[in-house]
Amino acid sequence: MLKKISALFLAGATASVMVACGNAAGADSGSGGGGDDKITMGFSQVGAESAWRTANTKSVQDSAKSAGFELKFSDAQQKQENQIKAIRSYIQQKVDVIAFSPVVESGWDTVLKEAQAAKIPVILTDRAVDSQDTSLYKTFLGSDFVEEGKKAGTWLVEEYKDSKDPVNIVELQGTTGSAPANDRKAGFAEVIKADPKFKVIASQTGDFTRAKGKEVMEAFLKSNPDIDVLYAHNDDMGLGAIEAIEGAGKVPGKDIKIITVDAVKDGVQALADGKINYIVECSPLLGPQLVDLAKKVVNGEEVPARVVTEETTFTQEQAKKVLSSRQY
Ligand code: AHR
């Protein structure tokens, strides 16, 4: 594998070096390197917890293939320790670039310093880390999760603008400690705090999965008879919660209004069917931008420190119009 090295190093030395590249057991599903000038990218994915994640994985794999990359892909099954192992394995294999979507925000400095010491550039995709030292990664590509939370809150404030009654909200949070859970909660709280009638009466993690969303919503329904609104940090948890609401003999979208984030096909279908009231889009189609950024960092080109994904919101009427063309 021909490994391209940073512009700084290039200035004083050779243009490229041949580096042996072997597979570390169990850490990836790539085909191994050796003997060509392809860019080799190690990608550590969070897991397969949601339809969003499945679409994101496909986008990264398809884009890497079209760009002629050798992709070493690993699924961390929502565990930080698995991601750290995968990143260490990519360092050992001397890949050209490492990209990863951090399951949680904190605890990355040590392994990122190891990548930096090995002169392997790192790209954060989808989720952020809370490292103070931003030189540990080249760029962060993904959504503005605080903005997503604010959009959810803004819809709610508008929806209840003519009511003086208390609005009891339950919240299904994403994975504890993850950037989308932290930021979607914060953005939503920031907007609704303007009016004390909005009360978050229960808030718990559903780990971004349908099964956990259902289980936690069942518990919410048992202990809170007067829920007006569910705010779920993703569609999958919202869809699980819909099953719980229907199981409790209530009508989702009417007895309990539901706001979710993502806009995957099943979510948009439930929105068009009137079971969800509003969805804030979070796009998983990060693959094309990721491979462009990866090419640039491998070639020592400047890249922006932050690349924010473009996204929109959907009402029930809008969902009916876009449903047939929704890709994922
Ligand atoms: O990090 C993005 C979030 O992770 C998506 O909103 C959610 O569905 C996924 O699991």
Side-chain angles (χ1 to χ4, degrees):
M1 179 192 65
L2 190 64
K3 177 175 170 59
K4 297 188 180 74
I5 50 178
S6 73
L8 197 69
F9 193 62
L10 274 169
T14 50
S16 57
V17 290
M18 293 296 288
V19 183
C21 181
N23 275 339
D28 69 69
S29 57
S31 57
D36 57 44
D37 62 355
K38 276 183 173 180
I39 290 177
T40 301
M41 179 165 79
F43 183 83
S44 171
Q45 179 60 287
V46 168
E49 73 282 4
S50 62
W52 188 101
R53 190 63 55 196
T54 306
N56 178 247
T57 293
K58 186 174 179 327
S59 174
V60 171
Q61 289 175 332
D62 289 353
S63 304
K65 194 172 175 199
S66 310
F69 280 24
E70 177 171 339
L71 180 68
K72 293 178 174 291
F73 179 89
S74 62
D75 173 338
Q77 297 176 342
Q78 299 241 68
K79 291 198 177 80
Q80 183 175 33
E81 73 218 55
N82 291 344
Q83 286 202 297
I84 291 175
K85 258 190 229 159
I87 293 169
R88 290 206 166 116
S89 153
Y90 297 146
I91 295 170
Q92 227 177 25
Q93 294 175 68
K94 298 182 167 58
V95 299
D96 297 306
V97 56
I98 293 171
F100 79 114
S101 175
V103 60
V104 290
E105 284 193 278
S106 57
W108 297 103
D109 285 35
T110 304
V111 74
L112 290 179
K113 279 181 188 153
E114 290 168 24
Q116 193 171 56
K119 296 194 167 58
I120 299 176
V122 172
I123 298 176
L124 302 179
T125 112
D126 163 37
R127 298 184 181 180
V129 298
D130 65 4
S131 303
Q132 295 304 303
D133 182 358
T134 53
S135 77
L136 293 176
Y137 52 91
K138 296 287 178 200
T139 181
F140 165 34
L141 162 68
S143 308
D144 181 338
F145 296 134
V146 175
E147 192 54 34
E148 290 173 352
K150 284 186 182 169
K151 287 177 185 170
T154 303
W155 179 84
L156 189 66
V157 168
E158 178 63 21
E159 182 71 6
Y160 284 90
K161 68 174 189 293
D162 299 327
S163 166
K164 297 218 169 350
D165 299 334
V167 180
N168 291 332
I169 304 161
V170 295
E171 181 180 31
L172 281 168
Q173 297 178 38
T175 302
T176 305
S178 69
N182 294 341
D183 294 353
R184 287 174 187 163
K185 182 174 180 55
F188 183 75
E190 171 73 27
V191 172
I192 63 165
K193 77 173 183 209
D195 189 335
K197 78 181 176 212
F198 294 110
K199 294 182 200 326
V200 178
I201 57 169
S203 180
Q204 214 177 295
T205 182
D207 216 8
F208 281 129
T209 69
R210 213 182 265 222
K212 214 52 200 312
K214 181 177 182 198
E215 186 188 311
V216 177
M217 190 68 199
E218 280 167 352
F220 284 166
L221 286 159
K222 274 189 194 128
S223 44
N224 304 282
D226 297 319
I227 299 170
D228 299 304
V229 173
L230 163 66
Y231 169 43
H233 290 188
N234 79 345
D235 288 343
D236 280 77
M237 292 189 294
L239 292 163
I242 287 172
E243 290 176 36
I245 293 167
E246 288 176 334
K250 293 185 187 256
V251 182
K254 294 207 164 57
D255 296 334
I256 298 179
K257 295 202 170 151
I258 301 177
I259 311 165
T260 64
V261 183
D262 277 355
V264 295
K265 195 146 192 162
D266 285 358
V268 177
Q269 178 71 65
L271 183 62
D273 293 344
K275 294 184 178 194
I276 293 179
N277 302 79
Y278 191 65
I279 301 185
V280 177
E281 185 185 38
C282 176
S283 175
L285 305 180
L286 303 180
Q289 281 170 296
L290 174 60
V291 299
D292 280 355
L293 289 166
K295 281 181 199 161
K296 286 184 177 146
V297 300
V298 169
N299 289 321
E301 292 172 38
E302 284 294 312
V303 290
R306 177 79 168 100
V307 181
V308 181
T309 318
E310 277 179 32
E311 41 213 11
T312 184
T313 56
F314 296 100
T315 61
Q316 293 177 338
E317 285 315 305
Q318 289 164 332
K320 286 176 197 156
K321 289 188 190 132
V322 300
L323 188 56
S324 60
S325 61
R326 204 72 189 152
Q327 289 177 47
Y328 51 88

